[in-house]
Amino acid sequence: MKTLADFPAFVLRRPAALLGLALLLVQAAAILFAPLLATHSPIEANPLASLQPPSAEHWLGTDVSGMDIYSRIIFATRINLLISVIAVAVAFVIGVPVGLVVGYRRGWASTLVMRIFDFIQSFPVFVLGMALVSVMGQEIWNVAIVLAILFTPIFARLVRAEALSLRDRPFIAAARCSGATDAAIMFRHILPNALGSSIVQVSISIGMAILLTAGLSFIGAGVRMPIPEWGLMVSTGSQQMILGIWWVALFPGLAIVFSVLSFALMADAARDYLDPRGERSR
């Protein structure tokens, strides 16, 4: 039986998963050691150094306000991953038990919960996120709350689908015959067997949350200046792209690409690892 302790060895045998892990470790280093890795203040403007190209002084150049792009990218890793990880964690903690209960129990309450989720998911994700952030305010925690609201139905539906397929299995009937309560059946017998797809979805959702956070900031509905955030930096730099000033938008955009790629690769590795056949057919 596979355990969490076996996962590192599994990753080391797969080049794509190893690349994803390496990218995650780079981001972890940026989060933990940002003050040591940054060469300048991420929020201190210097109009005299505005729009300087990459150089020995400013490794990735400066933006229109003269702020060092490299330092802002390093500190933005904290903001983007903080928002994304917290949002997905909250969605997971809320969505999994809700999906478990509505999947195991039949009745009007379960139907009502699913209709609420249908209502949330009927809106385009980006449009709903923009509307909620506009109403709640452009603060870091508000963006995290909005993303948690958007991702909760995803986890609830995954667990509900698994619970629906498991609740009539023979081992569940045996648990009922032995006198197990509904709570014991749900959390001791069904939940451990229903978590596989949700665990994979965590990594996928973090990547999606990073894109949504950056997208909201890009259009001015997310994090505000001078807070360092990748989407906000791309938005600032996009205005100078037509003038040939490419570095302001390019490097934050690459940070988004590599961050999302790392979580996508790890999600793929987790899906392969949790596959009961050992390897997915490709």
Side-chain angles (χ1 to χ4, degrees), residues 15-50:
L18 195 58
L19 174 61
L21 179 61
L23 292 173
L24 283 179
L25 292 177
V26 170
Q27 295 175 79
I31 292 172
L32 295 174
F33 306 112
L36 299 176
L37 295 174
T39 57
H40 296 75
S41 169
I43 60 174
E44 183 177 340
N46 182 9
L48 298 179
S50 176

Side-chain angles (χ1 to χ4, degrees), residues 164-182:
L164 286 172
S165 66
L166 291 170
R167 66 183 181 185
D168 295 324
R169 297 283 182 88
F171 73 95
I172 298 299
R176 290 195 187 98
C177 293
S178 66
T181 63
D182 286 344

Side-chain angles (χ1 to χ4, degrees), residues 51-71:
L51 298 177
Q52 290 188 0
S55 64
E57 174 66 18
H58 300 283
W59 296 349
L60 302 182
T62 62
D63 62 13
V64 68
S65 300
M67 292 185 282
D68 184 71
I69 294 175
Y70 166 74
S71 300

Side-chain angles (χ1 to χ4, degrees), residues 31-251:
I31 292 172
L32 295 174
F33 306 112
L36 299 176
L37 295 174
T39 57
H40 296 75
S41 169
I43 60 174
E44 183 177 340
N46 182 9
L48 298 179
S50 176
L51 298 177
Q52 290 188 0
S55 64
E57 174 66 18
H58 300 283
W59 296 349
L60 302 182
T62 62
D63 62 13
V64 68
S65 300
M67 292 185 282
D68 184 71
I69 294 175
Y70 166 74
S71 300
R72 286 179 62 78
I73 288 175
I74 293 295
F75 276 91
T77 308
R78 286 182 170 182
I79 301 299
N80 284 80
L81 265 67
L82 176 70
I83 292 174
S84 302
V85 171
I86 289 178
V88 173
V90 171
F92 182 87
V93 170
I94 296 175
V96 167
V98 170
L100 180 64
V101 172
V102 300
Y104 181 76
R105 295 181 179 275
R106 298 181 177 90
W108 64 269
S110 298
T111 302
L112 177 62
V113 171
M114 295 311 300
R115 297 295 78 77
I116 293 173
F117 288 158
D118 288 340
F119 177 76
I120 293 174
Q121 293 187 302
S122 65
F123 290 92
V125 174
F126 193 79
V127 174
L128 180 59
M130 182 173 59
L132 290 175
V133 169
S134 300
V135 171
M136 299 174 64
Q138 294 176 252
E139 301 294 338
I140 293 176
W141 298 115
N142 288 342
V143 175
I145 292 171
V146 167
L147 293 178
I149 293 173
L150 295 175
F151 285 111
T152 296
I154 297 176
F155 290 103
R157 287 187 177 280
L158 285 173
V159 176
R160 176 179 178 271
E162 295 289 343
L164 286 172
S165 66
L166 291 170
R167 66 183 181 185
D168 295 324
R169 297 283 182 88
F171 73 95
I172 298 299
R176 290 195 187 98
C177 293
S178 66
T181 63
D182 286 344
I185 291 173
M186 285 190 291
F187 291 96
R188 187 177 301 173
H189 299 285
I190 294 180
L191 183 59
N193 293 286
L195 276 180
S197 57
S198 296
I199 292 174
V200 174
Q201 184 63 39
V202 166
S203 188
I204 297 173
S205 294
I206 291 176
M208 293 171 60
I210 291 171
L211 289 175
L212 282 172
T213 302
L216 290 172
S217 297
F218 181 85
I219 63 173
V223 177
R224 294 178 293 184
M225 287 289 285
I227 298 174
E229 196 279 328
W230 293 331
L232 186 59
M233 295 172 68
V234 173
S235 176
T236 301
S238 64
Q239 303 170 18
Q240 286 86 38
M241 286 286 285
I242 194 173
L243 303 176
I245 304 173
W246 49 268
W247 58 88
V248 182
L250 175 64
F251 294 119

